[in-house]
Amino acid sequence: MTMSESGPRRRRPAVSCTLCRRRKTRCDRKVPCSNCVRSKNAHCVYTSHPSDHPRRPDHGQRTELVFAQADGRNPYLSPVDQPSLSKPSTDAGHAAASIVGSSTNAPTPTSQASGREVEAMKSRIRELEEQLAKATQGAPQASVPAPVVTVSAAVPVVDQSSLTYVDSQLFGETQVITRSIIHKSRMFGQSHWINGIIGLCRDIFEALEPHIVDETSKAISGVQKCKALARVIKSRRTPSWPLSPTSILPSKEVADELVDCYLRTFETVYRVLHVPTFRRDYDALWVSDAEPDIPFIVQLKLVLAIGATIYDEQFSLRASAIQWIYEAQTFISEPAFKSRRSIQFLQTNILLLQARELVNVGADAIWTSAGSLYRSAVYWGLHRDPANLCKRTTYVVEMRRRLWNTIVELNLHTSMLLGAPPSFSLHEYDTALPGNFDDDQLAADAPVPKPDNELTQMSIARALCKTLPVRLAVARFLNDLGSNFTYEEVLRLDAEVRASYKSLCRVLRECNASNGPKSLQFAIRSVDCIMHRYLAALHMPFFPVASRESTYAFSRNVVIETSLKLWNAVCPSSLTVSPRPHDSTQSPYPDDLTRLTVCASGFYRQLGMQAGLSVATELSAQLQQGESLGPVPLRPDLLAILDAMRAWNLRVIEAGDTNIKSYLLTCLVTAQIEGLKRGIGKDQLVESYLQTVEDAEGKCYAILERLAARDQVEGMIGGIDPDAFDISPEGMDDWDFMMTDVLLNQSAVEPTSWMFNEIPQVPLF
């Protein structure tokens, strides 16, 4: 609470429970109240904490103390020990408590007598400010004018499943920003795409809640029918565990195309294989009568699994890809340690991580697996540059550098993807950047790296690697709880990301990468998406509040413009065209990135979903805030994305994804915007929501029925027995991490439980 020299004003005490106040609904003030009873809320809490209604400081005010409820632990740290603007000292907390106490009571002789104590507390606060200024001296200065010295106590606010921090003040403004979300014993940091989208969806489902409390409603029954059918489909695709590797492969014609799909896409961005060596062993596999080498067979099947995600537009080999990943996971899990310390074993681990993300096999745990792989690489010495170790051939030196670079990139990639803190820092290794070699050069004696301005098979990976420091700084800023989360830091990192991106573009232009082989076009577009993803993630936490606070208008503009670029990269207008069957006579280089976005899960799918929902959020905000005597003008390019989103999400289901949540959410968002454009009332808008849900569920159920029939008739290729698949709890877990239940899981009472309810799970704690 702030103080002014004219004395405090009396505030009307809060009489509603916390849930009703948050929802802005009438509370009957019972214990529990009727709204909590209807919502099955186990905790109906009434509170009148003084921080519930903070007041703005006067123009002459120098110090503002903002308080929030802590989670039971002592949140205060000494400014010397923790030189962050978000951590006050214990004495400052006691001082503020005294000030709050004296300012909320009527003047009495006792309070007048304690005036000297209040002045002493103010003096103590000034001393702490001076200590804080000395402790933070030398920190990077923001590129914006610094406000009057303010101290904001960023004590964590625990609202059941969410942890929020009070954002540091900028130009006198204070905002509460969600730092992380806890869901099903998992914590997602701010880089997780769902953090910036919660506000858009909550309004829709809160409006729907009173109309879908009955389990016999058509909306609920339709969702449950789709879920039941989806679980049957997934159970048929999921093999029993463990599953030992076999030498069974698809036909050579299919395998050749799958290998080519992988080599022209992911291998050009994240270097894993020495292509000539891999090609030699692959060709020998088909002509040799000897017993096949199981480690190479496992590695090959992972290459096939990744290539299957862009083999055709229907992901017809999805079940086979899952089978190959299960075999590789069984092979990796065997307790044979000494015999596994080889380059090939690291390559197999890297390919397994990529395949699990793209095919969505345990994709929500790849960050922990990437950390385990990183520690294995450190234990085997890959974090030391080979020049500092014993003498090795150029091939071994460069492969060690390439694998280390890829392992570090995957750690950072999974950190941003799942909203987890990075598991490494730059000072932990001294491995040099891989040389600018083509793969064929490594087989020669004493090869000489090509100049940086000459295009090689390593040019794209090297250019991306040079941006690693700034990308790592962004990931730490977003996902580390101890980061100095201020808007000034956002602007500073924004400038660094843009400078790094400009340097990357200059390097690729100098080596003429844009006019290089067509097989490199996927890599160029992927790197472009990666850099824009970091820029969007940096500003996304401020995007929901930017429509209300002009201070963050820059973040609003960055998110929208970046979303447009990402959508045009991964979901171009061609997605609205009906899918064509696979035709081996078409161009040898189809639009792999577009096909990957539709068929595969993980990073590229999230790019499309986040970009589309960000655009929808902007359109909704413009309609709700626009003041015009006529229709509110909307940008045609944003409206075009909104229309394409539904077709894109429907194609994702047609390609074999059993998760209907993305499509259902997109339809609801579209219905909201259409209703706001027509200016219809709240009741009519709710009716539109209900009709939209029923129509969307009908379309999805028809597609899922076709998928179930196709899987039952076709089975799988490569001699795999469909009877090996059974219905197990593991096979019926989360539909897809891309659209997790965390969507609106921000309180104990969930208006979305009817839509996002899953099989109960035993909590971790």
Side-chain angles (χ1 to χ4, degrees):
M1 177 178 290
T2 60
M3 294 185 58
S4 63
E5 296 179 359
S6 60
R9 293 184 299 174
R10 297 186 61 181
R11 308 292 296 178
R12 185 175 65 180
V15 294
S16 301
C17 71
T18 54
L19 178 66
C20 292
R21 289 174 59 199
R22 185 166 64 248
R23 294 186 175 182
K24 294 182 175 60
T25 57
R26 183 180 298 276
C27 181
D28 59 8
R29 307 178 190 175
K30 296 181 181 180
V31 182
C33 70
S34 59
N35 292 329
C36 289
V37 171
R38 187 179 70 239
S39 302
K40 299 179 182 180
N41 182 25
H43 303 285
C44 184
V45 181
Y46 292 82
T47 179
S48 58
H49 196 278
S51 66
D52 290 341
H53 302 281
R55 289 186 291 152
R56 290 184 180 273
D58 293 337
H59 293 291
Q61 190 70 32
R62 289 184 57 82
T63 305
E64 177 185 8
L65 297 175
V66 183
F67 284 87
Q69 181 181 0
D71 58 352
R73 62 179 176 86
N74 184 3
Y76 305 110
L77 295 175
S78 169
V80 177
D81 294 337
Q82 177 60 272
S84 171
L85 292 178
S86 62
K87 303 290 183 181
S89 69
T90 306
D91 292 341
H94 290 314
S98 300
I99 296 173
V100 170
S102 64
S103 64
T104 55
N105 297 322
T108 64
T110 303
S111 62
Q112 293 174 0
S114 62
R116 291 187 299 272
E117 297 179 5
V118 173
E119 293 298 324
M121 294 299 102
K122 291 182 178 179
S123 176
R124 177 57 178 163
I125 291 176
R126 284 193 292 269
E127 293 177 5
L128 292 173
E129 289 178 343
E130 294 175 0
Q131 294 179 17
L132 182 61
K134 293 178 180 179
T136 57
Q137 190 173 12
Q141 298 296 322
S143 59
V144 296
V148 178
V149 177
T150 59
V151 179
S152 177
V155 184
V157 180
V158 178
D159 181 13
Q160 300 298 329
S161 61
S162 68
L163 178 64
T164 61
Y165 279 73
V166 179
D167 180 32
S168 63
Q169 298 178 3
L170 183 67
F171 308 124
E173 301 293 339
T174 301
Q175 297 293 336
V176 177
I177 303 296
T178 302
R179 294 303 307 269
S180 59
I181 295 175
I182 298 178
H183 170 69
K184 290 186 178 179
S185 303
R186 294 170 295 184
M187 177 176 288
F188 307 130
Q190 284 179 321
S191 70
H192 194 279
W193 72 278
I194 202 64
N195 279 281
I197 308 299
I198 295 174
L200 169 69
C201 309
R202 181 171 292 279
D203 294 341
I204 296 176
F205 289 108
E206 284 183 350
L208 277 173
E209 181 192 6
H211 303 273
I212 46 85
V213 292
D214 185 5
E215 295 185 358
T216 61
S217 66
K218 292 183 179 180
I220 293 181
S221 61
V223 169
Q224 296 301 332
K225 285 173 59 180
C226 291
K227 284 186 176 183
L229 187 53
R231 288 167 182 157
V232 172
I233 295 173
K234 290 192 69 175
S235 67
R236 291 174 178 170
R237 299 171 178 170
T238 307
S240 303
W241 176 266
L243 191 64
S244 299
T246 66
S247 58
I248 301 176
L249 295 171
S251 65
K252 188 176 186 303
E253 180 183 3
V254 174
D256 288 346
E257 188 163 356
L258 294 179
V259 169
D260 183 66
C261 286
Y262 167 77
L263 293 180
R264 73 169 183 257
T265 55
F266 288 95
E267 183 61 33
T268 60
V269 182
Y270 302 110
R271 294 308 314 272
V272 180
L273 304 174
H274 182 245
V275 177
T277 302
F278 178 82
R279 286 284 193 185
R280 180 197 64 200
D281 295 341
Y282 172 75
D283 293 336
L285 185 66
W286 299 99
V287 298
S288 175
D289 295 331
E291 188 71 20
D293 180 35
I294 292 299
F296 178 75
I297 290 291
V298 170
Q299 185 178 97
L300 172 61
K301 286 187 174 182
L302 289 173
V303 169
L304 300 180
I306 298 173
T309 59
I310 52 177
Y311 172 71
D312 58 15
E313 296 180 346
Q314 298 297 326
F315 200 174
S316 59
L317 303 181
R318 185 188 295 268
S320 298
I322 296 174
Q323 169 87 14
W324 297 328
I325 292 173
Y326 266 64
E327 291 182 12
Q329 188 67 60
T330 302
F331 174 78
I332 292 293
S333 303
E334 293 178 357
F337 302 109
K338 291 185 179 180
S339 60
R340 301 285 178 89
R341 296 177 186 174
S342 63
I343 288 179
Q344 185 184 59
F345 185 70
L346 286 176
Q347 292 171 331
T348 302
N349 271 274
I350 294 171
L351 293 171
L352 179 59
L353 279 176
Q354 293 178 306
R356 284 173 54 190
E357 176 194 343
L358 296 171
V359 188
N360 192 30
V361 177
D364 57 341
I366 59 173
W367 176 74
T368 56
S369 299
S372 177
L373 176 59
Y374 175 83
R375 288 189 294 274
S376 296
V378 170
Y379 190 56
W380 295 350
L382 267 71
H383 66 302
R384 298 304 312 276
D385 190 76
N388 300 325
L389 304 176
C390 58
K391 187 176 181 179
R392 290 180 171 89
T393 63
T394 303
Y395 170 82
V396 174
V397 167
E398 288 302 316
M399 288 305 299
R400 287 174 65 93
R401 288 172 176 169
R402 291 183 182 187
L403 292 178
W404 175 256
N405 177 63
T406 300
I407 290 171
V408 169
E409 285 285 354
L410 287 180
N411 267 267
L412 186 56
H413 170 80
T414 56
S415 170
M416 290 290 292
L417 183 69
L418 303 184
S423 56
F424 71 97
S425 61
L426 297 177
H427 69 270
E428 293 177 351
Y429 64 93
D430 61 3
T431 304
L433 186 71
N436 195 33
F437 291 101
D438 278 319
D439 285 10
D440 292 336
Q441 290 182 266
L442 300 183
D445 295 332
V448 178
K450 296 183 179 180
D452 289 344
N453 60 356
E454 186 171 344
L455 185 65
T456 68
Q457 292 170 295
M458 281 299 301
S459 295
I460 305 295
R462 281 169 49 86
L464 182 62
C465 182
K466 292 177 182 178
T467 67
L468 181 66
V470 66
R471 290 186 288 122
L472 177 60
V474 171
R476 289 200 178 280
F477 173 77
L478 294 173
N479 297 328
D480 276 1
L481 292 181
S483 63
N484 181 25
F485 196 78
T486 63
Y487 196 58
E488 295 90 333
E489 186 69 7
V490 170
L491 298 179
R492 186 186 69 82
L493 288 173
D494 173 273
E496 290 188 5
V497 172
R498 293 177 185 275
S500 182
Y501 177 64
K502 184 180 296 185
S503 176
L504 180 146
C505 294
R506 183 171 59 253
V507 169
L508 294 182
R509 281 196 298 267
E510 288 177 355
C511 64
N512 203 21
S514 299
N515 297 327
K518 289 185 177 181
S519 58
L520 289 181
Q521 299 310 305
F522 175 90
I524 295 173
R525 290 173 62 187
S526 294
V527 169
D528 196 56
C529 288
I530 290 172
M531 296 303 297
H532 282 104
R533 168 70 174 89
Y534 278 84
L535 199 60
L538 192 59
H539 290 273
M540 185 59 69
F542 299 90
F543 181 57
V545 300
S547 59
R548 304 187 302 270
E549 298 289 347
S550 59
T551 303
Y552 309 110
F554 177 67
S555 290
R556 182 179 185 178
N557 181 70
V558 170
V559 170
I560 294 305
E561 296 306 319
T562 305
S563 297
L564 279 170
K565 294 177 182 178
L566 289 174
W567 179 267
N568 290 331
V570 300
C571 308
S573 58
S574 60
L575 281 174
T576 58
V577 182
S578 58
R580 303 182 303 274
H582 178 66
D583 183 7
S584 59
T585 63
Q586 61 180 329
S587 172
Y589 298 107
D591 192 348
D592 293 323
L593 189 60
T594 297
R595 185 175 292 178
L596 185 73
T597 306
V598 173
C599 297
S601 300
F603 173 73
Y604 295 97
R605 177 84 61 80
Q606 286 190 11
L607 288 182
M609 194 64 191
Q610 184 175 21
L613 288 179
S614 298
V615 167
T617 303
E618 174 64 15
L619 291 172
S620 178
Q622 290 180 10
L623 290 170
Q624 294 183 40
Q625 299 171 3
E627 296 182 1
S628 175
L629 296 177
V632 178
L634 298 175
R635 289 175 53 175
D637 52 348
L638 301 185
L639 289 173
I641 291 179
L642 185 65
D643 294 335
M645 260 186 80
R646 285 179 297 177
W648 175 70
N649 277 288
L650 207 59
R651 283 199 59 195
V652 169
I653 302 175
E654 291 172 345
D657 193 345
T658 57
N659 172 22
I660 71 166
K661 301 173 191 176
S662 302
Y663 179 69
L664 185 57
L665 176 60
T666 302
C667 291
L668 284 170
V669 170
T670 304
Q672 181 194 43
I673 294 175
E674 291 297 329
L676 293 173
K677 286 172 60 178
R678 299 198 307 268
I680 63 178
K682 182 178 180 180
D683 293 339
Q684 291 178 297
L685 194 58
V686 172
E687 292 178 2
S688 175
Y689 290 159
L690 293 172
Q691 186 61 47
T692 297
V693 170
E694 295 175 13
D695 294 343
E697 290 166 350
K699 290 183 180 180
C700 293
Y701 189 78
I703 296 175
L704 292 176
E705 280 187 320
R706 293 197 295 269
L707 289 177
R710 186 187 68 184
D711 290 347
Q712 186 174 14
V713 173
E714 295 181 0
M716 295 175 297
I717 70 167
I720 303 173
D721 184 8
D723 295 335
F725 294 78
D726 58 1
I727 299 178
S728 61
E730 292 77 5
M732 298 188 296
D733 197 9
D734 253 344
W735 285 1
D736 183 9
F737 184 72
M738 213 292 297
M739 275 297 295
T740 175
D741 297 352
V742 77
L743 188 62
L744 291 173
N745 191 15
Q746 290 293 287
S747 65
V749 182
E750 283 310 312
T752 60
S753 59
W754 64 277
M755 178 181 176
F756 298 115
N757 185 39
E758 298 287 354
I759 298 175
Q761 297 186 2
V762 179
L764 183 61
F765 303 106

